[in-house]
Amino acid sequence: MVGAHAGVRGVTPKGESTRKYILDRAADMASVSGLEPVTIGSLARSLGMSKSGVYAHFGSKEELQLATIGAARERYSETVIAPGLKAPKGLAQIEEIMERLLAYLANRTFPGGCFFNSVNAEFHARPGLVRDTIREGKRNWRAQIADMTRDAQELGEIRADVDPELFAFQLESFVDAANWTLDDPVAQALVRRAIRECIDNAIM
Amino acid sequence: MVGAHAGVRGVTPKGESTRKYILDRAADMASVSGLEPVTIGSLARSLGMSKSGVYAHFGSKEELQLATIGAARERYSETVIAPGLKAPKGLAQIEEIMERLLAYLANRTFPGGCFFNSVNAEFHARPGLVRDTIREGKRNWRAQIADMTRDAQELGEIRADVDPELFAFQLESFVDAANWTLDDPVAQALVRRAIRECIDNAIM
DNA sequence: CCTACCGATCGGTAGG
DNA sequence: CCTACCGATCGGTAGG
C-alpha cells in the first residue's frame, strides 16, 4: 500500500511516500487529540512501524510537528481552497469557500474536525514555531476572505460600507464555533443561520 | 500561606485549603496547556509538594481533572457571572456580562485565557466526563444569555424578531474567537466591533 | 527501516 | 502529607 504508487519514472524514493503516509496519520491523530499527545511511539504503533523507523524521517519531535502541519495544509488546500478558487470572483468565491468549509468539517476530512483549530487551541499560549505557523495560516485565511470581499464590493455584490476585515473575522468566528460541536446538529444549524445572516446583512 | 486562613471556628481542615490551592494552580496551568499535560509530577513541582502529596487528594487523574473544572467554574462565576447578574435585568445584564467577559480575558483571570475554551478544544473529540462537563457549561452559558435576551425583548430593548438562541450563539462565537488571540490588539478590536454590531443589530 | 538501549517521567501504590 | 517504589512510556541515540 505504502510504496504502491511508483513515482514518475520510478524515481520517487520509498522514503518519500512513507513520509507522507506518516504525516497524514499524524495529522489525523492530532485533529482529535492535539499535536503533543501524538507521541512517536503511538504514531508508530498505529502505523505498524517501529518507533525509530518513524523517528528516522525527522530530526526531532518539533520537526515532525511542523512537517505534520505542512501535510495538513496540503489536505486543506485541496479540499477547501482550490475548489473555492474555481468559483467566479467575488461573492461566489466566498460562498463556495464557506460551503466547502462546512463540508470539510461534516465529512471529517480530519477525523477530529479542523486540524488547525485543534493545534491553534493547544499552542495558543505557548510561544514557538508551531504557534507562529498556525497563526500565520489563520491570518492568511482572513486576508484571503477580505480580498474576496473587496472583489465583491467592486462587483457591486457587497455594500461599500462593509469592512472586509470585520466581515472575514465574523465568518471565521462562526466556522470556528462549528468545529467544536460537530456532533451537535442544533449547533450546526445555528452556524449556518449565523453565516447566512452575516452574508445577507452585507449584501445589496 | 496555605493554611494561613483558618476556617470558621477553626474547623476548616488544613487538607481543604491545600486542596483549593492545588486546584487553582492546576486550573492556571490547564488554561495554558490543556488539562492532560498538567501531570501530577509537574503540578507537585510547581507547588513545592511531593507527587503523592498531591495525588492523595484525588483518587485518579480524572478526578483531579473534574475537581479542577469545579474550581475553575467558581473562579469564573465570581469574576463574570455574579457581577453580571447584579446589573438590571435585560439588555444591561447582557452588556455587563460581555464587558466582564472581555475583562476576564484581558486581565488573565486564567493566565492562558479562558480555561473552559482550552479544555473544550482539548477534549472536543474525546468522549468522556470531562468533555460532557465542559459542554454542559457552554450550553448553560448560551441558555443564560438567551434568557436575558427574552427578558430584554419583554422590556422592549431587543426586537421581537431576534432569535435569542441565535443571538447568544453569535455573541459566544465572538468571545471565543477573542480567546485564541489575546495578545493581538488588532484581533481584539475586531472582537469588540463584532459584538457591538451584533448587539446594535438586535436593538430597537 | 530495524533492534536494543539511555535517562527521565508518567499514573499509581505501599506503607507510614 | 512524606519516601520509596512499580511497570509503562516518553524523546532520543547507537549501530546496523
Side-chain angles (χ1 to χ4, degrees):
Chain A
M1 194 64 153
V2 181
H5 69 89
V8 182
R9 290 206 306 253
V11 293
T12 298
K14 191 177 164 197
E16 256 317 296
S17 67
T18 302
R19 191 185 146 94
K20 179 90 163 65
Y21 180 58
I22 295 172
L23 292 175
D24 275 333
R25 182 66 57 92
D28 281 347
M29 292 169 67
S31 73
V32 172
S33 64
L35 268 179
E36 215 72 73
V38 181
T39 64
I40 295 166
S42 65
L43 183 53
R45 201 178 319 116
S46 147
L47 291 162
M49 291 173 64
S50 71
K51 260 177 61 176
S52 58
V54 168
Y55 192 82
H57 288 269
F58 316 93
S60 68
K61 211 194 172 188
E62 196 186 25
E63 273 201 46
L64 164 62
Q65 293 178 334
L66 293 170
T68 301
I69 294 173
R73 274 189 176 167
E74 274 184 51
R75 199 189 302 183
Y76 172 76
S77 290
E78 291 165 11
T79 313
V80 177
I81 297 300
L85 290 177
K86 284 184 193 150
K89 244 190 173 183
L91 183 60
Q93 279 187 348
I94 296 174
E95 302 238 39
E96 184 69 24
I97 285 201
M98 295 310 290
E99 214 49 64
R100 297 273 180 176
L101 213 35
L102 293 178
Y104 150 92
L105 292 177
N107 296 342
R108 309 292 178 134
T109 306
F110 295 97
C114 179
F115 169 90
F116 306 97
N117 277 338
S118 286
V119 177
N120 187 52
E122 183 185 14
F123 282 84
H124 83 287
R126 279 185 270 180
L129 252 181
V130 170
R131 182 180 78 166
D132 296 344
T133 305
I134 297 282
R135 282 202 180 173
E136 194 224 324
K138 289 223 146 219
R139 252 197 312 275
N140 224 292
W141 189 89
R142 282 218 307 268
Q144 223 165 345
I145 298 293
D147 278 342
M148 293 177 185
T149 305
R150 280 180 277 269
D151 289 341
Q153 287 174 320
E154 282 171 25
L155 291 165
E157 296 169 332
I158 287 185
R159 288 201 322 274
D161 66 309
V162 169
D163 180 335
E165 315 293 342
L166 180 60
F167 184 60
F169 170 81
Q170 290 164 327
L171 293 179
E172 187 195 26
S173 298
F174 297 139
V175 185
D176 285 355
N179 181 61
W180 307 119
T181 50
L182 282 182
D183 51 0
D184 178 352
V186 176
Q188 295 303 310
L190 288 171
V191 172
R192 284 202 168 267
R193 290 174 57 199
I195 291 174
R196 193 67 260 153
E197 187 182 274
C198 184
I199 294 180
D200 286 345
N201 280 343
I203 288 179
M204 91 184 197
Chain B
M1 193 64 155
V2 181
H5 70 91
V8 182
R9 290 206 306 254
V11 294
T12 298
K14 189 176 164 198
E16 257 315 297
S17 66
T18 302
R19 191 185 146 94
K20 179 92 163 66
Y21 181 57
I22 294 171
L23 292 175
D24 275 333
R25 182 66 57 92
D28 281 347
M29 292 169 66
S31 73
V32 172
S33 65
L35 268 178
E36 213 73 72
V38 181
T39 65
I40 296 167
S42 65
L43 183 53
R45 201 178 318 116
S46 147
L47 291 162
M49 292 173 64
S50 71
K51 261 177 60 177
S52 59
V54 169
Y55 192 82
H57 288 269
F58 316 93
S60 68
K61 210 195 171 186
E62 196 186 24
E63 274 201 44
L64 164 62
Q65 293 177 334
L66 294 170
T68 301
I69 294 173
R73 274 190 175 166
E74 275 184 51
R75 199 190 302 183
Y76 172 76
S77 290
E78 290 164 12
T79 313
V80 176
I81 298 299
L85 290 176
K86 284 184 193 149
K89 244 190 175 184
L91 184 60
Q93 278 187 349
I94 296 174
E95 301 238 38
E96 184 71 24
I97 284 201
M98 295 310 291
E99 214 50 63
R100 296 273 179 176
L101 212 35
L102 292 178
Y104 150 92
L105 292 177
N107 296 341
R108 310 292 179 135
T109 307
F110 295 97
C114 179
F115 169 90
F116 305 97
N117 277 338
S118 286
V119 177
N120 187 51
E122 183 184 14
F123 282 84
H124 84 286
R126 278 184 271 181
L129 252 180
V130 170
R131 182 181 78 166
D132 296 345
T133 305
I134 297 282
R135 282 202 181 173
E136 194 225 324
K138 289 223 148 218
R139 252 198 312 276
N140 224 294
W141 189 89
R142 282 217 307 268
Q144 224 166 343
I145 298 292
D147 278 344
M148 293 177 186
T149 305
R150 280 181 276 270
D151 290 341
Q153 287 174 320
E154 283 171 23
L155 290 166
E157 296 170 331
I158 286 185
R159 289 202 322 273
D161 66 310
V162 169
D163 180 335
E165 315 294 340
L166 179 60
F167 184 60
F169 170 81
Q170 290 164 326
L171 292 179
E172 186 195 28
S173 297
F174 298 139
V175 185
D176 285 356
N179 182 61
W180 306 120
T181 49
L182 282 181
D183 51 0
D184 178 352
V186 176
Q188 296 304 309
L190 288 171
V191 171
R192 285 204 167 266
R193 289 175 58 198
I195 292 173
R196 193 66 259 153
E197 188 182 274
C198 184
I199 294 179
D200 285 345
N201 280 343
I203 289 179
M204 90 181 198

